[in-house]
Amino acid sequence: MNKNQTRTLSVCLSPALLSSYNLEDSIVVVIDIFRASTSICYGIHNGATSIIPVSTVEECLKYSSSGHLLAAERNGAIVEGFNFGNSPFSYTIDKVQGKTIVLTTTNGTRSIQLSKSKRASKVLVGSFLNITALCNWLKIQGQSVVLLCAGWKENFSLEDTLFAGAAVEKLKDGFLIKDDAAHAAFDLYQLAKVDIGSYLKKSSHSARLEKLNIEADIKFCLELDTVDSIPVLSGDKLIKMI
Amino acid sequence: MNKNQTRTLSVCLSPALLSSYNLEDSIVVVIDIFRASTSICYGIHNGATSIIPVSTVEECLKYSSSGHLLAAERNGAIVEGFNFGNSPFSYTIDKVQGKTIVLTTTNGTRSIQLSKSKRASKVLVGSFLNITALCNWLKIQGQSVVLLCAGWKENFSLEDTLFAGAAVEKLKDGFLIKDDAAHAAFDLYQLAKVDIGSYLKKSSHSARLEKLNIEADIKFCLELDTVDSIPVLSGDKLIKMI
């Protein structure tokens, strides 16, 4: 049997559902569209040397005297006393080029660390910004892929699911799809793709983010293919793979 | 503010996601379409005195000398040595009327017990068979509702999500919908409702059940409004509420 016919493509809708997935020998793509995975893709593309994901604000603070940029977000807002949170506009070339960033976010960093602990063969970061570069690379690897939605506080989120659906659309011909979540994500994306921003108006996260007055962030996070870099976890750091 | 405008309608896509939901003061509807919740609705409608959901096959066996019917299903099949599993055709009038059934299934009974442990104000059982009776009753209660999909081994399943979407369609005008999963379930149901059976052909559970040669069960489980009873948890037993 052709290797490509045996590799599977799965969508895990929340890190709380990850126990159903065997990540060994699989490539995991961590997705946290609003906004951690978007900002990580943008920052790595803009020349950040590395981004170190940490679980807690306290761990982040341990790097205070390291010279690194410290980024901490909780409930969508920058934690007081930090350089910045997870708005992509904080990850521009002028701010991050040649810098290491230590980042803790409500949802995204936990998914990265869980994937590592479950021995994924590679942990990548995906966003609408690098979706085509990412999927083109995944197509030629001959390995199973798990698209891991970080969600919101361990629960299902529409925006991460839509990204997973968009990736399923690009990848499905070369993979075996066995799980229901991949079919659901694909179908939801078909409904949404004409105008993802409008579709997401009903999502809970949009309502939360609206309160934070970050409409420009949302628009930015939904732009397709603005970068061609792929962040990969190497040891404890996210670095540029391509 | 009108009481109806403050009550919420939520969809929990898996018992593994239940930690995000506060069930106190809410009515929980447990959904395990293939086949536990369908068979429970059918059995209660057909005059079973009560159905006792238990977690393990061992617990079920403790009732061996009770005179109750013992039903045990694992991985879709009847456990060896038991009267029956969770095929609805085992829950006909001639088999269950006036009887108590002790039931353990892969997915459904766990969700019932979790809901109880999280202090839901009421735990009901829903299926396509009683969807209109159930939703009509929920509409006039003035309480928040959580539709809990039992899923497959704690993971997302299409058929339970579609039922949740169908219930959201019937209930949405009288409730505040805050979670993304309710929107997703509603949208997926819109895609599927013309022919739910065909839509589900791609689901993982359909593939599993096909192997068991139970196409008649699947067709039965997707029939709408064939019963008007609603099972409710009373102590440790499911009994007929209406």
Side-chain angles (χ1 to χ4, degrees), chain A residues 218-232:
Chain A
I218 294 180
K219 194 158 171 264
F220 186 91
C221 292
L222 298 178
E223 281 177 20
L224 288 162
D225 297 326
T226 50
V227 313
D228 57 7
S229 304
I230 306 173
V232 63

PDB file of all heavy atoms in Angstrom, chain A residues 218-232:
ATOM      1  N   ILE A 218      -8.313  40.944  14.872  1.00  0.00           N
ATOM      2  CA  ILE A 218      -9.137  39.869  14.322  1.00  0.00           C
ATOM      3  C   ILE A 218      -8.986  39.825  12.805  1.00  0.00           C
ATOM      4  O   ILE A 218      -8.761  38.769  12.215  1.00  0.00           O
ATOM      5  CB  ILE A 218     -10.625  40.070  14.706  1.00  0.00           C
ATOM      6  CG1 ILE A 218     -10.773  39.925  16.218  1.00  0.00           C
ATOM      7  CG2 ILE A 218     -11.522  39.083  13.977  1.00  0.00           C
ATOM      8  CD1 ILE A 218     -12.179  40.101  16.728  1.00  0.00           C
ATOM      9  N   LYS A 219      -9.101  40.979  12.189  1.00  0.00           N
ATOM     10  CA  LYS A 219      -8.971  41.059  10.723  1.00  0.00           C
ATOM     11  C   LYS A 219      -7.603  40.524  10.295  1.00  0.00           C
ATOM     12  O   LYS A 219      -7.502  39.731   9.352  1.00  0.00           O
ATOM     13  CB  LYS A 219      -9.139  42.537  10.313  1.00  0.00           C
ATOM     14  CG  LYS A 219      -9.371  42.732   8.847  1.00  0.00           C
ATOM     15  CD  LYS A 219     -10.060  44.085   8.579  1.00  0.00           C
ATOM     16  CE  LYS A 219     -10.069  44.353   7.073  1.00  0.00           C
ATOM     17  NZ  LYS A 219      -8.957  45.200   6.631  1.00  0.00           N
ATOM     18  N   PHE A 220      -6.586  40.929  11.012  1.00  0.00           N
ATOM     19  CA  PHE A 220      -5.224  40.493  10.684  1.00  0.00           C
ATOM     20  C   PHE A 220      -5.101  38.972  10.796  1.00  0.00           C
ATOM     21  O   PHE A 220      -4.472  38.316   9.967  1.00  0.00           O
ATOM     22  CB  PHE A 220      -4.242  41.178  11.650  1.00  0.00           C
ATOM     23  CG  PHE A 220      -2.804  40.922  11.317  1.00  0.00           C
ATOM     24  CD1 PHE A 220      -2.107  41.778  10.480  1.00  0.00           C
ATOM     25  CD2 PHE A 220      -2.137  39.820  11.846  1.00  0.00           C
ATOM     26  CE1 PHE A 220      -0.775  41.545  10.160  1.00  0.00           C
ATOM     27  CE2 PHE A 220      -0.810  39.572  11.528  1.00  0.00           C
ATOM     28  CZ  PHE A 220      -0.121  40.433  10.688  1.00  0.00           C
ATOM     29  N   CYS A 221      -5.684  38.404  11.839  1.00  0.00           N
ATOM     30  CA  CYS A 221      -5.566  36.953  12.101  1.00  0.00           C
ATOM     31  C   CYS A 221      -6.278  36.112  11.047  1.00  0.00           C
ATOM     32  O   CYS A 221      -6.031  34.913  10.955  1.00  0.00           O
ATOM     33  CB  CYS A 221      -6.146  36.606  13.470  1.00  0.00           C
ATOM     34  SG  CYS A 221      -5.206  37.265  14.856  1.00  0.00           S
ATOM     35  N   LEU A 222      -7.188  36.724  10.292  1.00  0.00           N
ATOM     36  CA  LEU A 222      -7.950  35.960   9.292  1.00  0.00           C
ATOM     37  C   LEU A 222      -7.419  36.151   7.877  1.00  0.00           C
ATOM     38  O   LEU A 222      -7.967  35.616   6.921  1.00  0.00           O
ATOM     39  CB  LEU A 222      -9.430  36.356   9.362  1.00  0.00           C
ATOM     40  CG  LEU A 222     -10.118  36.058  10.708  1.00  0.00           C
ATOM     41  CD1 LEU A 222     -11.562  36.541  10.691  1.00  0.00           C
ATOM     42  CD2 LEU A 222     -10.056  34.576  11.061  1.00  0.00           C
ATOM     43  N   GLU A 223      -6.315  36.912   7.734  1.00  0.00           N
ATOM     44  CA  GLU A 223      -5.727  37.081   6.396  1.00  0.00           C
ATOM     45  C   GLU A 223      -4.977  35.823   5.985  1.00  0.00           C
ATOM     46  O   GLU A 223      -4.225  35.250   6.770  1.00  0.00           O
ATOM     47  CB  GLU A 223      -4.804  38.299   6.382  1.00  0.00           C
ATOM     48  CG  GLU A 223      -5.603  39.586   6.273  1.00  0.00           C
ATOM     49  CD  GLU A 223      -4.711  40.828   6.339  1.00  0.00           C
ATOM     50  OE1 GLU A 223      -3.503  40.714   6.089  1.00  0.00           O
ATOM     51  OE2 GLU A 223      -5.249  41.892   6.668  1.00  0.00           O
ATOM     52  N   LEU A 224      -5.180  35.427   4.752  1.00  0.00           N
ATOM     53  CA  LEU A 224      -4.588  34.177   4.262  1.00  0.00           C
ATOM     54  C   LEU A 224      -3.213  34.423   3.633  1.00  0.00           C
ATOM     55  O   LEU A 224      -3.030  35.372   2.857  1.00  0.00           O
ATOM     56  CB  LEU A 224      -5.487  33.550   3.201  1.00  0.00           C
ATOM     57  CG  LEU A 224      -6.798  32.925   3.675  1.00  0.00           C
ATOM     58  CD1 LEU A 224      -7.754  32.746   2.507  1.00  0.00           C
ATOM     59  CD2 LEU A 224      -6.540  31.582   4.353  1.00  0.00           C
ATOM     60  N   ASP A 225      -2.272  33.543   3.968  1.00  0.00           N
ATOM     61  CA  ASP A 225      -1.009  33.446   3.240  1.00  0.00           C
ATOM     62  C   ASP A 225      -0.212  34.738   3.177  1.00  0.00           C
ATOM     63  O   ASP A 225       0.346  35.090   2.132  1.00  0.00           O
ATOM     64  CB  ASP A 225      -1.285  32.934   1.806  1.00  0.00           C
ATOM     65  CG  ASP A 225      -1.879  31.530   1.851  1.00  0.00           C
ATOM     66  OD1 ASP A 225      -1.495  30.756   2.749  1.00  0.00           O
ATOM     67  OD2 ASP A 225      -2.710  31.205   0.994  1.00  0.00           O
ATOM     68  N   THR A 226      -0.138  35.412   4.291  1.00  0.00           N
ATOM     69  CA  THR A 226       0.692  36.624   4.317  1.00  0.00           C
ATOM     70  C   THR A 226       2.138  36.302   4.678  1.00  0.00           C
ATOM     71  O   THR A 226       3.006  37.155   4.530  1.00  0.00           O
ATOM     72  CB  THR A 226       0.126  37.643   5.324  1.00  0.00           C
ATOM     73  OG1 THR A 226      -0.091  36.975   6.569  1.00  0.00           O
ATOM     74  CG2 THR A 226      -1.208  38.203   4.842  1.00  0.00           C
ATOM     75  N   VAL A 227       2.397  35.092   5.178  1.00  0.00           N
ATOM     76  CA  VAL A 227       3.783  34.687   5.477  1.00  0.00           C
ATOM     77  C   VAL A 227       3.998  33.258   4.952  1.00  0.00           C
ATOM     78  O   VAL A 227       3.043  32.511   4.729  1.00  0.00           O
ATOM     79  CB  VAL A 227       4.123  34.755   6.994  1.00  0.00           C
ATOM     80  CG1 VAL A 227       3.669  36.067   7.609  1.00  0.00           C
ATOM     81  CG2 VAL A 227       3.540  33.578   7.757  1.00  0.00           C
ATOM     82  N   ASP A 228       5.259  32.897   4.767  1.00  0.00           N
ATOM     83  CA  ASP A 228       5.538  31.533   4.299  1.00  0.00           C
ATOM     84  C   ASP A 228       6.486  30.787   5.246  1.00  0.00           C
ATOM     85  O   ASP A 228       7.144  29.828   4.852  1.00  0.00           O
ATOM     86  CB  ASP A 228       6.083  31.550   2.866  1.00  0.00           C
ATOM     87  CG  ASP A 228       7.327  32.406   2.727  1.00  0.00           C
ATOM     88  OD1 ASP A 228       7.853  32.879   3.761  1.00  0.00           O
ATOM     89  OD2 ASP A 228       7.779  32.601   1.589  1.00  0.00           O
ATOM     90  N   SER A 229       6.551  31.220   6.490  1.00  0.00           N
ATOM     91  CA  SER A 229       7.391  30.544   7.480  1.00  0.00           C
ATOM     92  C   SER A 229       6.566  29.547   8.287  1.00  0.00           C
ATOM     93  O   SER A 229       5.350  29.718   8.430  1.00  0.00           O
ATOM     94  CB  SER A 229       7.984  31.557   8.465  1.00  0.00           C
ATOM     95  OG  SER A 229       8.693  32.546   7.756  1.00  0.00           O
ATOM     96  N   ILE A 230       7.226  28.518   8.801  1.00  0.00           N
ATOM     97  CA  ILE A 230       6.558  27.552   9.681  1.00  0.00           C
ATOM     98  C   ILE A 230       7.357  27.416  10.977  1.00  0.00           C
ATOM     99  O   ILE A 230       8.500  26.972  10.953  1.00  0.00           O
ATOM    100  CB  ILE A 230       6.450  26.164   9.014  1.00  0.00           C
ATOM    101  CG1 ILE A 230       5.771  26.269   7.633  1.00  0.00           C
ATOM    102  CG2 ILE A 230       5.673  25.208   9.913  1.00  0.00           C
ATOM    103  CD1 ILE A 230       5.796  24.961   6.849  1.00  0.00           C
ATOM    104  N   PRO A 231       6.760  27.809  12.104  1.00  0.00           N
ATOM    105  CA  PRO A 231       7.437  27.606  13.390  1.00  0.00           C
ATOM    106  C   PRO A 231       7.389  26.134  13.809  1.00  0.00           C
ATOM    107  O   PRO A 231       6.373  25.463  13.636  1.00  0.00           O
ATOM    108  CB  PRO A 231       6.626  28.461  14.372  1.00  0.00           C
ATOM    109  CG  PRO A 231       5.777  29.359  13.520  1.00  0.00           C
ATOM    110  CD  PRO A 231       5.525  28.602  12.256  1.00  0.00           C
ATOM    111  N   VAL A 232       8.492  25.649  14.362  1.00  0.00           N
ATOM    112  CA  VAL A 232       8.567  24.268  14.850  1.00  0.00           C
ATOM    113  C   VAL A 232       9.148  24.286  16.260  1.00  0.00           C
ATOM    114  O   VAL A 232      10.002  25.124  16.585  1.00  0.00           O
ATOM    115  CB  VAL A 232       9.447  23.401  13.913  1.00  0.00           C
ATOM    116  CG1 VAL A 232      10.898  23.898  13.887  1.00  0.00           C
ATOM    117  CG2 VAL A 232       9.404  21.919  14.308  1.00  0.00           C
TER     118      VAL A 232
END
